[in-house]
Amino acid sequence: MSDTRLFRPRLWTAAGSALLIAGVAACSDQGAEAPAAPASPPASAAGEGEGEGGEAGAVSAYGAVPAESLTALRLQHLKGFFLVARAAAPVEGEESAAALAGQGMLEVYDPSKADYDAAGVDEVVLRRAAESGATGALNAAIAELDRAARQAGGDAGDVVKGLLGISTGLYALVVTADGVDPIEWQHSYGAALAAQQVAARDGALRPVREEIDAFVANWTNVTAPTDPAEATAPGALQAQASRIELSLSGV
């Protein structure tokens, strides 16, 4: 990992947050002129790490999900950014929460804006949360994505599998020889939180809820530890996700 990745968290403080919001608006304008093709994997995978291993894992997670569940997965993937932003707000402040939500808009929403429009998502509600980072606005964004997800249908088990793939793919970049990447920690945590909520709300997934809760418990705090020894090894997390996927095959 290069030194630039280690210093990346500084981009999301003070003026960095304002630049992010401006960038989100610019991407939105571009997306309106040339929207991404429906049902395509999100460009967020390349956007976060320029095609590195973890992001490639996120792309492959989309590729493994049946077409009828792709919209539901896309909605939950974005929701994960708002979930982790809501968790960060009381710990790191609204500015940090706004940056996290803004990253989701920039990396997941904007490249696939046409798909979110087709799903009936109210963009204004999402932008408001990404600009303020206030808990009330984040709750409204989460509720809006939940509303769209109820209409999108899809198979909950397939969506959980996709979210686990995204989470472990991003987590592959968390623990490195140089330390713990705090951004990838939070992004992978968001996908895990989204998987947990899908399982909690679908009665058919009751048998795997404890396993998913144990998976989410690997993120001991919304803020990443500074010592790699305090973080679960990526291989161990992947093994845990694989066991959940095996359990899901029997549900």
Side-chain angles (χ1 to χ4, degrees), residues 25 54 79 119 197 204 222 238 244:
K79 179 183 169 184
Q197 286 207 353
V222 69
Q238 179 61 65
I244 296 172

Side-chain angles (χ1 to χ4, degrees), residues 48-87:
E48 289 186 19
E50 291 75 44
E52 296 184 60
E55 277 61 47
V59 170
S60 65
Y62 271 82
V65 171
E68 59 269 21
S69 295
L70 279 175
T71 297
L73 175 59
R74 194 181 304 285
L75 292 165
Q76 294 297 334
H77 185 186
L78 179 58
K79 179 183 169 184
F81 282 85
F82 289 95
L83 289 172
V84 75
R86 183 173 66 180

Side-chain angles (χ1 to χ4, degrees), residues 35 52 73 80 91 134 145 161 214-215 223 228:
E52 296 184 60
L73 175 59
V91 179
L145 291 167
K161 288 179 185 177
F215 179 84
T223 302

Side-chain angles (χ1 to χ4, degrees), residues 3-211:
D3 288 340
T4 14
R5 287 185 58 79
L6 291 176
F7 288 111
R8 191 171 53 173
R10 296 182 184 177
L11 296 175
W12 312 118
T13 60
S17 291
L19 289 173
L20 171 66
I21 293 168
V24 167
C27 286
S28 178
D29 291 340
Q30 293 169 3
E33 294 171 7
S40 59
S44 62
E48 289 186 19
E50 291 75 44
E52 296 184 60
E55 277 61 47
V59 170
S60 65
Y62 271 82
V65 171
E68 59 269 21
S69 295
L70 279 175
T71 297
L73 175 59
R74 194 181 304 285
L75 292 165
Q76 294 297 334
H77 185 186
L78 179 58
K79 179 183 169 184
F81 282 85
F82 289 95
L83 289 172
V84 75
R86 183 173 66 180
V91 179
E92 300 181 353
E94 290 185 354
E95 184 179 291
S96 177
L100 278 165
Q103 288 161 29
M105 295 299 289
L106 183 65
E107 297 169 2
V108 179
Y109 178 92
D110 286 329
S112 301
K113 176 174 164 49
D115 293 327
Y116 289 101
D117 288 345
V121 175
D122 187 341
E123 180 180 359
V124 172
V125 175
L126 305 186
R127 297 286 179 199
R128 187 178 297 124
E131 289 167 2
S132 72
T135 299
L138 293 168
N139 284 336
I142 291 166
E144 173 61 14
L145 291 167
D146 281 340
R147 182 197 61 75
R150 287 193 293 272
Q151 298 178 357
D155 180 82
D158 287 335
V159 173
V160 168
K161 288 179 185 177
L163 290 167
L164 292 176
I166 292 169
S167 181
T168 55
L170 297 175
Y171 194 85
L173 296 177
V174 168
V175 182
T176 74
D178 296 318
V180 178
D181 187 307
I183 302 298
E184 302 296 1
W185 171 275
Q186 291 178 322
H187 290 189
S188 59
Y189 184 29
L193 289 172
Q196 185 180 44
Q197 286 207 353
V198 172
R201 294 178 179 180
D202 192 286
L205 299 186
R206 186 180 299 275
V208 299
R209 287 177 186 169
E210 287 188 8
E211 291 180 85

